[in-house]
Amino acid sequence: MSVDVYINFNGNCREAVEFYAEVFETAKPQIMTFGETPPNPEFVLPEEAKHLVMHTRLNISGSNVMFSDVFPGMPFVEGNNISLAVVSKNLDEIKSLFHKLKEGGTVGMELQETFWSKCYGSVTDKFGIGWQFNYDSGEMRM
């Protein structure tokens, strides 16, 4: 069993997932739009929905992260219900990812030593998604 993360966006999912694929150096994502789904004669797809992402995913360091746009008219709350934690034994990777994701975003806590980690930081990226970075030196104090 695995627990995967699913993140919804409000029309900019394609931009977000392509950005994350670049940041985390993953394979280019396969993207299915609402317009590529089999037609349903009982439901006419609104024109504004056809280009929106219905589903895509990335494998980020062994974890599946799935993405979609919300369907037009559905409620959307930007990023306040999710935080993704990146834990790595590679300090350079932590620093690199943190600095890439903070571009256009907001730093909650700069990378620094804490009582549980020699290097921890948090950032909300330019898409409103919260990220935590934790260096695992093997001396976790928590």
Side-chain angles (χ1 to χ4, degrees):
M1 181 175 91
S2 68
V3 176
D4 299 330
V5 177
Y6 209 107
I7 305 172
N8 290 324
F9 291 87
N10 197 22
N12 60 344
C13 181
R14 181 180 301 272
E15 178 188 358
V17 77
E18 289 173 353
F19 173 73
Y20 297 142
E22 185 178 310
V23 167
F24 291 99
E25 300 176 357
T26 70
K28 184 176 174 157
Q30 294 181 342
I31 296 174
M32 176 186 278
T33 65
F34 287 106
E36 294 171 323
T37 61
N40 180 346
E42 296 176 21
F43 178 77
V44 178
L45 190 65
E47 195 61 38
E48 67 269 20
K50 290 182 179 178
H51 73 281
L52 296 175
V53 175
M54 185 184 125
H55 180 76
T56 188
R57 70 177 175 182
L58 297 175
N59 186 285
I60 300 174
S61 300
S63 296
N64 285 317
V65 182
M66 298 176 285
F67 307 83
S68 72
D69 281 310
V70 294
F71 199 79
M74 297 296 290
F76 175 79
V77 179
E78 184 177 300
N80 70 355
N81 63 334
I82 189 168
S83 177
L84 302 174
V86 177
V87 179
S88 176
K89 294 180 185 290
N90 183 329
L91 185 56
D92 291 333
E93 179 181 52
I94 291 289
K95 290 178 180 179
S96 174
L97 295 174
F98 180 87
H99 291 294
K100 288 177 184 177
L101 286 170
K102 80 176 189 178
E103 289 180 28
T106 305
V107 173
M109 182 177 186
E110 285 290 347
L111 291 174
Q112 59 189 272
E113 185 168 345
T114 65
F115 69 88
W116 69 86
S117 175
K118 293 200 183 259
C119 186
Y120 172 86
S122 65
V123 63
T124 300
D125 70 24
K126 64 183 178 180
F127 299 104
I129 303 301
W131 296 86
Q132 299 179 57
F133 293 88
N134 198 41
Y135 172 60
D136 177 9
S137 63
E139 304 172 3
M140 295 290 280
R141 297 178 222 162
M142 206 167 97

